[in-house]
Amino acid sequence: MLYLIGLGLSYTSDITVRGLECIKKCNRIYLEHYTSILMAASLEELEDFYGKPVTLADREMVESGCEEILHDADKHDVAFLVVGDPFGATTHTDLVLRAKRQGLPVEVIHNASVMNAVGSCGLQLYNFGQTVSMVFFTDSWRPDSWYNKIWENRKIGLHTLVLLDIKVKEQSIENMARGRLIYEPPRYMSIAQCCEQLLEIEENRGTKAYTPNTPAVAISRLGSATQTFKSGTIEELANYDSGEPLHSLVILGRQCHELELEYLLEFAENKEMLQEAVVRDQEYFKPAAWVPPNEEQDE
């Protein structure tokens, strides 16, 4: 059996009882190590908690060399551990499809992830639209395909969860070109950098899917003991020191319920200014008032 097991957001003990029971009986254990990290637990702590060795699975192993993971999964129990929930990243869906094509039995054990825990910032999960990912810009690569998704969410009044990029076990272009297995230090995008990139693309596009005054909420270290929230405009948050990773951001939709706003005000430096920004933003993409047809013109 191949088990895909969610670990939750932060601690070794965030795993479910059923997930831990499965790990205990597995012959091999892999920890996916490139879409997220377990903030309050090291590899050594996980191995001590499970009482078994754990192999780190980088992007190359999961996306290109997954045969190592799937090997003998029809004869032995193999665990593939994912921070958050197993289906928080599309690459894990691909792993399941590969296993099924080989006739391997698969069982998924779910857990909390940013996709549902984001509700702790006070915004209602029912009011979220498409989730987008913000990657690190480079001098020659500044992708903005996510912009249209934010625009679509905002047009129908929905909030947008923005997941911030992390770089773990990444090679520089030079080292990759020269075939040198030298990896860059881990990098984690901050709230300020994300907001700066948002503002840059809006300035380039100029179609106002959002503006510098659009309200947003910064989420830092979700699910950990140092979890924090900060609400303000995108421009304000572009100057916010969000501290240690991991981070995510929510861009508010124009339909902000009064209970959502009351909750968000608790995280605002200037409650009055944030409330004014939300009220102004609610005019954004507001549907035009219905006008009855002119019967004389129809005739």
Side-chain angles (χ1 to χ4, degrees):
M1 178 78 74
L2 172 66
Y3 291 98
L4 271 72
I5 302 174
L7 298 184
L9 292 167
S10 189
Y11 302 94
T12 55
S13 54
D14 283 346
I15 191 170
T16 64
V17 173
R18 187 160 70 95
L20 183 58
E21 289 173 347
C22 288
I23 288 176
K24 295 287 189 182
K25 67 178 184 178
C26 283
N27 296 72
R28 301 197 312 278
I29 304 167
Y30 297 91
L31 172 62
E32 189 262 76
H33 191 60
Y34 63 93
T35 61
S36 190
I37 60 168
L38 206 58
M39 290 176 287
S42 66
L43 176 64
E44 292 74 21
E45 288 170 328
L46 287 175
E47 291 181 325
D48 183 63
F49 188 68
Y50 303 149
K52 291 191 171 186
V54 177
T55 301
L56 292 180
D58 58 17
R59 184 187 298 274
E60 184 179 0
M61 177 186 288
V62 178
E63 295 184 352
S64 303
C66 69
E67 291 309 312
E68 177 184 336
I69 298 171
L70 300 179
H71 179 66
D72 281 347
D74 56 337
K75 302 181 182 69
H76 305 289
D77 290 324
V78 178
F80 183 75
L81 312 182
V82 180
V83 175
D85 186 81
F87 290 129
T90 55
T91 184
H92 306 140
T93 305
D94 181 63
L95 181 63
V96 171
L97 288 173
R98 293 185 189 210
K100 288 187 174 181
R101 282 196 292 267
Q102 296 182 31
L104 300 174
V106 178
E107 184 172 336
V108 178
I109 300 174
H110 296 284
N111 209 320
S113 76
V114 65
M115 303 295 285
N116 59 348
V118 66
S120 58
C121 75
L123 298 176
Q124 297 167 8
L125 295 180
Y126 291 116
N127 294 333
F128 278 76
Q130 302 171 86
T131 296
V132 303
S133 296
M134 178 67 69
V135 301
F136 284 107
F137 286 178
T138 68
D139 292 338
S140 58
W141 189 57
R142 309 177 96 72
D144 62 358
S145 59
W146 44 263
Y147 181 92
N148 291 337
K149 293 183 180 181
I150 296 176
W151 188 91
E152 290 166 3
N153 288 345
R154 297 264 294 157
K155 190 171 183 180
I156 57 176
L158 300 179
H159 311 312
T160 304
L161 172 60
V162 184
L163 302 176
L164 277 55
D165 198 8
I166 73 171
K167 297 291 187 186
V168 179
K169 201 179 178 183
E170 296 281 335
Q171 290 178 278
S172 67
I173 294 176
E174 180 184 356
N175 285 330
M176 192 180 300
R178 294 177 180 274
R180 296 187 297 215
L181 294 178
I182 301 174
Y183 300 100
E184 301 293 296
R187 289 192 297 151
Y188 307 94
M189 184 179 288
S190 68
I191 295 294
Q193 185 168 5
C194 173
C195 290
E196 288 169 2
Q197 293 186 181
L198 283 167
L199 295 174
E200 176 186 325
I201 297 302
E202 176 52 57
E203 185 175 354
N204 293 342
R205 289 289 194 101
T207 49
K208 294 186 177 181
Y210 50 86
T211 74
N213 295 319
T214 295
V217 55
I219 303 170
S220 300
R221 299 168 297 280
L222 185 62
S224 76
T226 59
Q227 168 180 291
T228 58
F229 304 100
K230 170 76 171 179
S231 53
T233 64
I234 293 176
E235 188 171 46
E236 285 181 280
L237 295 176
N239 297 297
Y240 170 53
D241 181 359
S242 50
E244 294 295 313
L246 297 168
H247 307 290
S248 52
L249 180 79
V250 180
I251 300 172
L252 267 66
R254 107 181 118 72
Q255 299 183 84
C256 183
H257 190 274
E258 59 184 20
L259 288 178
E260 292 180 304
L261 176 57
E262 182 181 348
Y263 212 108
L264 288 179
L265 290 175
E266 296 298 312
F267 310 130
E269 196 166 302
N270 188 317
K271 292 180 171 57
E272 186 176 341
M273 284 182 62
L274 179 66
Q275 186 157 11
E276 290 174 358
V278 171
V279 171
R280 286 195 306 269
D281 194 65
Q282 287 184 342
E283 296 299 313
Y284 229 69
F285 294 126
K286 193 172 185 178
W290 182 77
V291 177
N294 188 321
E295 295 181 0
E296 293 181 0
Q297 289 183 353
D298 291 346
E299 293 174 357

